């Protein structure tokens, strides 16, 4: 137990032999538990490597990932990276990333506090951004910015958009290098109404 003259039980670290867990306490209450499954914050029986729990009515923010650089000129970001190990190799590779990024340097002016959320995947050992949601809610796939301020922009030279009824009944929409819309159904185009 840790304490001072004002509080003799301000904090503690103890091993619970009956339940085979290590517990960490603050203000005489257990705040963290480490057992064979993992580390628990807000729970005394974690079931995963990291188990965060808050008994709160409504929404609860359980985790902050923060880049505290206060520059007004740099385009800062914070990233959650996912890694996987390949077969018979002692090395892990980036499998994907989710990144929150400033859209410009932030100042004390509210109009500068804009951010985007980007999603990256890995292909042939190279991790690259594949989709972005801008501060305005516009989505870009295959592009880092919305084209012509559209809510959805898809950039690809082969098959950017396919709408399907099932695996064999679909239409592919493409745009030619001249900007013309091409609808490819593999059959005659039948514009039907319901």
């Amino acid at each position: 137990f840790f304490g001072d003259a004002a509080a003799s039980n301000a904090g503690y670290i103890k091993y619970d032999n009956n339940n085979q867990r290590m517990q960490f306490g603050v203000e005489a209450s257990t705040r963290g538990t480490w057992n064979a499954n993992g580390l628990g914050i807000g729970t005394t029986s974690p079931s995963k490597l990291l188990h965060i729990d808050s008994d709160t009515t409504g929404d609860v923010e359980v985790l902050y990932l923060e880049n505290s650089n206060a520059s007004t000129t740099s385009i800062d970001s914070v990233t959650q990276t996912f890694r996987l190990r390949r077969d018979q190799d002692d090395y892990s590779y980036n499998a994907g990333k989710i990144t929150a990024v400033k859209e410009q340097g932030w100042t004390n002016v509210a109009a500068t506090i804009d951010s985007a959320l980007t999603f990256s995947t890995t292909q042939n050992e190279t991790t690259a951004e594949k989709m972005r949601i801008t501060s305005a809610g516009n989505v870009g796939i295959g592009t880092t910015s919305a084209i012509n301020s559209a809510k959805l922009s898809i950039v690809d030279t082969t098959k950017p958009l396919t709408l399907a009824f099932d695996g064999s009944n679909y239409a592919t929409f493409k745009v030619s290098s001249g900007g013309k819309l091409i609808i490819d159904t593999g059959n005659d185009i039948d514009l039907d109404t319901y």
Side-chain angles (χ1 to χ4, degrees):
F1 291 90
F2 303 95
D4 55 24
S8 61
N9 187 11
Y12 61 83
I13 300 173
K14 71 176 182 178
Y15 184 74
D16 179 353
N17 192 51
N18 291 333
N19 295 296
Q20 297 183 337
R21 61 189 181 185
M22 182 76 73
Q23 295 188 303
F24 306 88
V26 177
E27 296 177 354
S29 297
T30 300
R31 304 296 183 184
T33 300
W34 203 322
N35 66 13
N37 295 323
L39 175 63
I41 300 172
T43 176
T44 57
S45 55
S47 60
K48 302 296 179 190
L49 289 176
L50 178 60
H51 183 160
I52 303 173
D53 184 20
S54 177
D55 186 2
T56 304
T57 301
D59 184 45
V60 60
E61 293 182 355
V62 296
L63 181 65
Y64 272 16
L65 302 176
E66 182 173 347
N67 179 342
S68 58
N69 182 31
S71 170
T72 60
T73 57
S74 62
I75 305 301
D76 303 317
S77 63
V78 62
T79 298
Q80 172 64 57
T81 301
F82 304 91
R83 294 176 63 85
L84 297 170
R85 187 164 291 194
R86 70 180 179 191
D87 185 38
Q88 299 178 349
D89 195 344
D90 195 28
Y91 184 75
S92 295
Y93 291 86
N94 289 344
K97 295 180 180 183
I98 301 173
T99 301
V101 59
K102 294 178 180 178
E103 290 185 329
Q104 68 270 326
W106 288 9
T107 67
N108 291 332
V109 179
T112 69
I113 312 298
D114 299 328
S115 67
L117 196 60
T118 71
F119 298 83
S120 301
T121 61
T122 300
Q123 184 175 30
N124 299 325
E125 292 188 15
T126 301
T127 305
E129 180 181 325
K130 301 300 192 311
M131 185 175 80
R132 176 178 294 236
I133 304 173
T134 70
S135 60
N138 299 336
V139 177
I141 300 174
T143 177
T144 58
S145 61
I147 306 298
N148 200 23
S149 299
K151 282 297 177 188
L152 176 62
S153 299
I154 303 172
V155 177
D156 190 271
T157 57
T158 55
K159 295 183 177 181
L161 177 62
T162 298
L163 300 178
F165 175 78
D166 57 28
S168 57
N169 296 288
Y170 59 87
T172 299
F173 295 78
K174 300 184 274 189
V175 177
S176 71
S177 59
K180 304 224 185 256
L181 177 64
I182 302 167
I183 303 174
D184 181 7
T185 63
N187 301 303
D188 294 332
I189 295 176
D190 182 11
L191 299 177
D192 204 352
T193 59
Y194 290 93

